[in-house]
Amino acid sequence: MTSSASRLAGRTALITGSSRGIGRAVAVNFAQEGATVLINARRNDKEAEAALQACRQAARKAGHPDSGHRIIEADVSSSADVDRMFAEATRTGPLHILVNNAGVQALTPGDGDDNTELERILAVNLLGAAYCARAAIRHFLSRPGGGVVINTSSVHEAIPKPGFLAYSMSKGGLGNLTRTLALEFADRGIRINSVGPGAILTSINDSWRGDPDARASVESHIPMGYAATPEAIAPVFTFLASDEAAYVTGQTLYVDGGLTLYGDFKENWSS
Ligand code: NAD
């Protein structure tokens, strides 16, 4: 049976932090489009195994052969782990796509005096993405064909998030990581872009996603009026990974129900 969804056929994609949430939805969408998916998780636990099974099932349903989807354990904030992960990811063939998706969020008030969380969040969200992007680029340059890097940024690349200094810094930094690497490698077949999600229903938002009142309050700030599922935004990553986006590099594509449109200006209040 031939597949109608095969925009990523023949490609291998490594997706960091893909045992759940946005990363898992992207992995499943990629598998559905014919990619061999390498699921990165800090631990090869039940969650990672369930994500792997979901990828296999999606690929099978779309008519793709089992092409070696697997789990690679690594903490992206450790450069030694990242080196080991890339050695494993490229052991049986070339890697074509990296999605830097692993991310954490926690309060880091602007007047705080404990730097532990500040350092941890920047190490995972920003340094981890840089370690992985550099390792992927070295691999892409080592063989013909180029490659693609997609970073999971956030609306907080552009919108400040008071109380969450480290998260805002990390996502702002990802924007410049994207543009800098995109320019450096634009003429060598390597495209680097970001997706900037708005409010997505994942465990990072456990403080409000299961509480109807808190969720309604969050959704009242979204111009489209609702928070999206990870599955609803995953196809945007697939588009950026595919040849349909062959002429797109250095961009952050916000997928946010209009959050970056300055909703407060819907009714004119300034003049
Ligand atoms: P999530 O908590 O469900 O997923 C985060 C994933 O990252 C998990 O699989 C976790 O195990 C993994 N991870 C964390 N630290 C890691 C490390 N050191 N090494 C390897 N993996 C690690 O949350 P999510 O919402 O799916 O988050 C995914 C990405 O999306 C993050 O970068 C987050 O900042 C970004 N994002 C999320 C939202 C949202 O509303 N959910 C909005 C904007 C951006």
Side-chain angles (χ1 to χ4, degrees):
M1 181 175 133
T2 49
S3 168
S4 56
S6 49
R7 283 182 293 170
L8 303 181
R11 319 268 169 96
T12 297
L14 170 64
I15 301 142
T16 68
S18 49
S19 57
R20 64 172 190 240
I22 294 172
R24 172 181 158 141
V26 171
V28 169
N29 206 271
F30 279 14
Q32 198 179 327
E33 292 283 347
T36 296
V37 168
L38 309 179
I39 292 182
N40 156 247
R42 275 168 298 180
R43 281 171 300 281
N44 187 346
D45 56 12
K46 274 190 185 154
E47 213 171 42
E49 186 57 37
L52 179 65
Q53 292 311 331
C55 288
R56 287 190 174 136
Q57 201 180 355
R60 234 184 348 257
K61 208 169 155 198
H64 301 298
D66 189 335
S67 51
H69 310 293
R70 58 188 192 275
I71 298 166
I72 307 181
E73 272 187 340
D75 176 341
V76 299
S77 68
S78 153
S79 60
D81 267 26
V82 168
D83 287 346
R84 195 182 36 71
M85 173 167 72
F86 274 83
E88 167 58 22
T90 54
R91 188 173 47 79
T92 53
L95 179 73
H96 306 90
I97 301 159
L98 163 70
V99 181
N100 271 321
N101 171 79
V104 287
Q105 177 180 244
L107 268 171
T108 41
D111 57 355
D113 61 359
D114 178 354
N115 290 324
T116 315
E117 282 293 71
L118 197 73
E119 287 165 7
R120 179 180 74 94
I121 292 164
L122 287 167
V124 176
N125 297 11
L126 187 55
L127 280 178
Y131 299 151
C132 292
R134 294 172 102 189
I137 290 167
R138 288 196 300 276
H139 172 72
F140 297 157
L141 294 173
S142 73
R143 46 121 187 103
V148 174
V149 177
I150 302 169
N151 303 304
T152 307
S153 183
S154 164
V155 288
H156 298 298
E157 178 181 322
I159 305 174
K161 189 168 186 183
F164 291 81
L165 177 64
Y167 193 77
S168 284
M169 286 169 71
S170 72
K171 298 302 182 180
L174 269 183
N176 245 6
L177 179 148
T178 299
R179 288 186 290 273
T180 303
L181 293 177
L183 183 55
E184 193 169 343
F185 297 102
D187 58 357
R188 278 177 276 182
I190 299 173
R191 298 188 296 106
I192 294 131
N193 291 293
S194 287
V195 174
I200 312 301
L201 299 164
T202 71
S203 56
I204 224 173
N205 290 320
D206 273 347
S207 62
W208 56 262
R209 70 171 168 161
D211 172 342
D213 291 340
R215 180 167 165 180
S217 160
V218 168
E219 291 181 327
S220 72
H221 295 283
I222 303 170
M224 283 188 172
Y226 66 95
T229 62
E231 290 73 22
I233 69 163
V236 177
F237 290 76
T238 302
F239 162 69
L240 286 173
S242 77
D243 291 342
E244 289 173 357
Y247 206 47
V248 182
T249 198
Q251 304 303 309
T252 297
L253 184 42
Y254 290 105
V255 185
D256 63 357
L259 259 181
T260 41
L261 294 176
Y262 300 93
D264 223 18
F265 280 84
K266 193 168 182 209
E267 274 84 44
N268 196 355
W269 55 264
S270 63
S271 57

